[in-house]
Structure formats: structure tokens, C-alpha cells
Amino acid sequence: MDTKKDIRSTVLQRRDTLPAHARADKSAKVCREVERRVAEAFDRPCIAVFKAMRSEVDLSDLAASAYEQEWDVCFPCMVRDHLSDAEEPSRMAFYRVPAERYEEAVETLIAHPLRCRSCSTLAASGYASVEPRELDVVAVPLVAFDDAGNRLGYGGGNYDRLLPALRPDALVMGIAFEEQRVDAVPCEPHDQSLPCIVSA
């Protein structure tokens, strides 16, 4: 069986070599399908999306449509209660970003989700954190997936910790290109599978 490291390397290389026009077309298809599923399940949901890093699926169209429909849109970032305390582990949290603050938030919050921030600084800047049980919909980034819904992430375990904290009725969707599908994702006890993957 291929190791997680080997699969990550192979699939990320495959994803990175997708031509820009193909990535854009496929991203648009994924956005339309996610929006359709969300609209069928909820009226005005609180939806967690993510800003594409490197060659990930671009969910910008989904976010724009969500704002048009007055959905609550949240983005992930890494936080600590005390940023100066290097001993304190960082954790992933979601913050609501109103439509009128989106452009500003791209620079200050959204575009660098792995940069650790202080909870108090974000609160002082007017960003409201969202508890996992408040999320109706979560779009989950991934490196690779298989037909059983097993997901290979980037190795930080952030979404593996998030998923058990969601409500049972939350709509959880892995987001990927078809080029990220593999025969089998090696799983460990802490790995969380996904109920569905939306890919193109």
C-alpha cells in the first residue's frame, strides 16, 4: 500500500499540472453542484468555505453566490488565545465574513489561512467566530479521496478534529478535482471519512 506521503506527493503533482483553464472550468462545476446541494437542504445557511491554496478547487464563485443569497459565509484560520505563547498549540477556527468586508478580509484573514492569529485581535477587528455546531454546511479541502469517502488531508488533522464537533444534520462535502481520486486512501483510527465528495 502506498504511504500517505507518497500519495500526497503523487496527487499534488497531478493536481498542480492541471492547466489553468481546466482548473477554472472544473472549479465552476464544483461550485454549481455544491450550491445546488446546499439550496436543496437549507434556506439561508451558515456555510464554511475556504480560499484556494496553490492548485486547490477555487470556491470563489460559490462564495459570491452565497453572498448574493444572503447566506452566512465563514472562512477558516489558525488561532491561539495568546499569540505570544509558543507553547500553546494553534487550532483551526471559523470566522464569519460579511459581504461588505470580503475584499478587506481577503488580505487580512482569508488569503493566509495557515498564518496563526490572536483570537482577541480578530475580535477587536470585528470578526465573529463561529462555533462548529453553528455551521450548517462545511466544504472540506483535501489532497486525495477514494470511492469510500476516505479523505487524505495535508497532515495537520484540523478537519479530523472539526468533523466530530459538527451537528449530525450538517451538510459536509469534500471538495476536489477528479484528478485527486485514488484507488484507496490509507486510514488511521483518527481519520474522518466524508459522507460525500463533490468533484469535477
Side-chain angles (χ1 to χ4, degrees):
M1 182 190 299
D2 290 334
T3 66
K4 289 184 175 183
K5 181 179 179 181
D6 292 338
I7 293 174
R8 279 194 188 97
S9 177
T10 299
V11 175
L12 286 175
Q13 184 176 25
R14 193 188 307 162
R15 194 182 74 184
D16 288 345
T17 58
L18 269 173
H21 66 87
R23 189 177 298 117
D25 289 346
K26 288 171 173 282
S27 292
K29 289 178 182 177
V30 169
C31 287
R32 288 194 295 271
E33 178 60 17
V34 171
E35 181 180 352
R36 184 190 68 78
R37 295 186 187 206
V38 174
E40 286 181 354
F42 297 98
D43 183 16
R44 290 178 61 179
C46 181
I47 177 171
V49 295
F50 57 88
K51 178 75 171 173
M53 294 192 300
R54 292 176 53 186
S55 57
E56 286 181 331
V57 174
D58 184 355
L59 295 182
S60 297
D61 287 353
L62 174 62
S65 183
Y67 282 128
E68 288 176 5
Q69 299 176 75
E70 299 184 338
W71 297 354
D72 280 343
V73 182
C74 307
F75 290 87
C77 71
M78 301 305 293
V79 297
R80 284 195 193 110
D81 293 322
H82 307 286
L83 198 57
S84 60
D85 183 2
E87 298 298 316
E88 179 190 351
S90 60
R91 65 185 185 278
M92 185 174 69
F94 286 86
Y95 282 80
R96 185 176 283 107
V97 176
E100 64 273 13
R101 298 195 67 184
Y102 177 78
E103 294 301 328
E104 166 203 334
V106 166
E107 296 301 321
T108 61
L109 178 71
I110 297 171
H112 306 285
L114 299 181
R115 182 183 299 164
C116 195
R117 295 167 173 83
S118 161
C119 295
S120 58
T121 300
L122 289 169
S125 298
Y127 292 110
S129 63
V130 177
E131 292 299 320
R133 293 189 66 82
E134 296 179 69
L135 297 171
D136 298 308
V137 181
V138 179
V140 181
L142 53 86
V143 172
F145 69 98
D146 62 23
D147 290 341
N150 296 311
R151 165 191 176 269
L152 179 63
Y154 292 92
N158 291 307
Y159 282 89
D160 288 320
R161 288 186 288 273
L162 169 71
L163 296 179
L166 300 174
R167 297 195 321 269
D169 66 334
L171 180 59
V172 179
M173 291 173 281
I175 305 297
F177 296 117
E178 270 300 308
E179 286 76 5
Q180 295 171 251
R181 187 188 298 271
V182 298
D183 290 337
V185 171
C187 295
E188 298 174 59
H190 65 269
D191 291 328
Q192 296 287 320
S193 62
L194 299 172
C196 71
I197 311 285
V198 179
S199 62

